[in-house]
Amino acid sequence: MGYREKVAWLMFSSMAVTLGPYLIYVYVVQNGQPIPLPGIGELKLYATAAVSWAVIIGTGHLLLRLKFPSDTRTPADERDHEIERRSFRIGYFILIIGMIVIGIFKPFYSAGWSIINGTILMIAVAELVRYLTIVHSYRKQRP
């Protein structure tokens, strides 16, 4: 497994492990209960997930750098650039569709944290798909 594929797995798994439980809590446990703004409790919950995500990513990058120092310095080749371009295109398309739904239609029937959590969900989905696209592309090209 190449370095860039390992980074994509790191990003995917860290997002799934931290934002996944947050979004499950929001959409299953809270299940549409109105949260009055500013919603400090909800903000603390999201901040915990976001900080945990950043710590996992930072630790993971550090461990990858220490374990595979030569791989971190290898410049990206044309294949790596193409995989990045393709994954960004797919992720951006999902993000734009999601933001249109959340930003244009949702304000007519929701407000506050419902819109915020919908935005977090769409960003997470777009990024998870982007990282899975990277992993799939590298696995598909293996001999």
Side-chain angles (χ1 to χ4, degrees), residues 21 24 38 44 72 85 110 125:
I24 288 170
K44 286 179 185 177
T72 59
R85 277 192 294 271
S110 278
V125 167

Side-chain angles (χ1 to χ4, degrees), residues 27 89-107 109 114-127:
Y27 285 105
R89 271 194 309 260
I90 293 169
Y92 184 75
F93 178 75
I94 292 170
L95 183 63
I96 288 299
I97 297 297
M99 290 301 104
I100 288 170
V101 170
I102 300 296
I104 293 176
F105 298 116
K106 200 161 185 172
Y109 62 88
S114 176
I115 293 173
I116 294 166
N117 286 327
T119 303
I120 293 168
L121 174 66
M122 290 314 303
I123 291 169
V125 167
E127 285 295 294

Side-chain angles (χ1 to χ4, degrees), residues 44-96:
K44 286 179 185 177
L45 189 61
Y46 175 69
T48 302
V51 168
S52 300
W53 182 50
V55 167
I56 291 171
I57 289 172
T59 304
H61 275 288
L62 179 65
L63 291 174
L64 285 174
R65 217 171 243 282
L66 293 173
K67 191 167 183 179
F68 307 102
S70 63
D71 290 347
T72 59
R73 288 184 290 249
T74 304
D77 59 9
E78 186 57 37
R79 176 186 67 138
D80 297 326
H81 290 300
E82 182 55 35
I83 288 171
E84 278 292 317
R85 277 192 294 271
R86 194 163 126 240
S87 69
F88 273 116
R89 271 194 309 260
I90 293 169
Y92 184 75
F93 178 75
I94 292 170
L95 183 63
I96 288 299

Side-chain angles (χ1 to χ4, degrees), residues 2 22 27 29 35 42 87 92 102 104 109 111 126 128 132 134:
Y22 170 77
Y27 285 105
V29 176
I35 300 166
E42 190 79 12
S87 69
Y92 184 75
I102 300 296
I104 293 176
Y109 62 88
L128 289 171
L132 282 178
I134 292 170

